[in-house]
Amino acid sequence: MPIKTIFLDRDGVINKEVNYLFKISEFEFIDGIFDALINFQKLDYQIIIITNQSGIARKYYKEKDYQILTKWMLGQFQEQGIKILDIFHCPHDPNASCDCRKPKPGMIEKAKDIYDIDIKNSVLIDNLEKPILEQTINKIIENKKSISEIVVFAPYYSHVDRILDKINTKLNPNLIKLCIQKDNHYLI
């Protein structure tokens, strides 16, 4: 039976943004993330994390450091009763020609290859900045992707109107939920 999935970014969505985060001591969960994920589970969504981790390619930290932090994070979720189905990460540099680095859909495609995902009833939650958000939306349109919602965590108020104008001209306006970050809380 196909599964509804929440595709969730890590940095800026699960945890407060820290450039090239790999130390547990610097990891701080965003207020409300545990409650949000528990609610998604109650709605029968599976949770998959997709995250760009270019700090590995840039040699700021090693794959092993990323894996240690990830294992700790999963333990924190498990203590709260939250099951993460899987985590996919792109370790490549932004200039690499890989297919996995967001905004490319490689991590979502890989998840679809492994799991029987009901992509039409799945949701992408990300904190993409304006240029990456626009690329992602264009790729979804070009590739006729059918994610049911894109939830945008927009930390920059100045870009909001322009992003919404672009979204609403190409997609059903009911498809997008805009969530503004304020003091590390999310307001929908």
Side-chain angles (χ1 to χ4, degrees):
M1 178 175 188
I3 56 172
K4 298 186 304 183
T5 304
I6 301 290
F7 290 101
L8 193 67
D9 187 22
R10 190 191 81 178
D11 300 321
V13 175
I14 291 174
N15 57 276
K16 293 180 183 178
E17 188 74 49
V18 173
N19 286 334
Y20 308 111
L21 176 64
F22 70 96
K23 296 179 182 174
I24 293 170
S25 63
E26 294 179 356
F27 191 103
E28 188 176 347
F29 285 99
I30 298 242
D31 291 338
I33 190 66
F34 295 128
D35 291 336
L37 297 186
I38 288 168
N39 285 332
F40 285 136
Q41 287 182 160
K42 287 178 182 175
L43 295 170
D44 296 324
Y45 281 95
Q46 297 292 322
I47 301 163
I48 294 177
I49 298 170
I50 55 173
T51 178
N52 290 338
Q53 295 296 316
S54 69
I56 296 168
R58 295 171 196 239
K59 302 199 183 306
Y60 294 138
Y61 53 92
K62 297 177 181 175
E63 177 76 25
K64 179 181 175 184
D65 298 318
Y66 165 78
Q67 294 299 338
I68 289 168
L69 178 67
T70 299
K71 183 177 179 180
W72 173 84
M73 180 185 70
L74 289 173
Q76 300 300 302
F77 282 128
Q78 189 173 19
E79 285 179 17
Q80 298 294 322
I82 297 165
K83 180 181 182 262
I84 304 298
L85 180 62
D86 211 334
I87 298 178
F88 297 92
H89 73 287
C90 172
H92 305 113
D93 184 272
N95 297 320
S97 60
C98 69
D99 291 330
C100 55
R101 184 169 177 82
K102 293 180 295 174
K104 294 177 184 173
M107 289 185 277
I108 292 175
E109 295 296 329
K110 186 174 180 181
K112 284 174 47 183
D113 289 344
I114 296 170
Y115 302 102
D116 187 13
I117 294 174
D118 179 358
I119 201 72
K120 290 182 180 179
N121 289 303
S122 294
V123 178
L124 169 63
I125 303 178
D126 213 318
N127 71 335
L128 300 172
E129 294 181 26
K130 181 188 66 155
I132 299 172
L133 171 64
E134 290 177 356
Q135 290 174 32
T136 301
I137 291 166
N138 288 335
K139 292 225 181 266
I140 289 169
I141 293 164
E142 288 167 18
N143 296 325
K144 296 181 174 70
K145 298 292 178 199
S146 304
I147 288 178
S148 66
E149 287 185 319
I150 302 169
V151 180
V152 180
F153 289 101
Y156 305 104
Y157 288 95
S158 60
H159 301 314
V160 171
D161 290 337
R162 194 162 171 289
I163 291 169
L164 286 177
D165 287 345
K166 182 170 183 66
I167 291 168
N168 289 335
T169 60
K170 294 199 173 186
L171 297 173
N172 177 342
N174 296 325
L175 182 70
I176 307 299
K177 288 185 180 175
L178 182 66
C179 188
I180 304 297
Q181 181 179 11
K182 181 178 180 185
D183 301 326
N184 290 308
H185 288 81
Y186 292 115
L187 311 169
I188 294 183

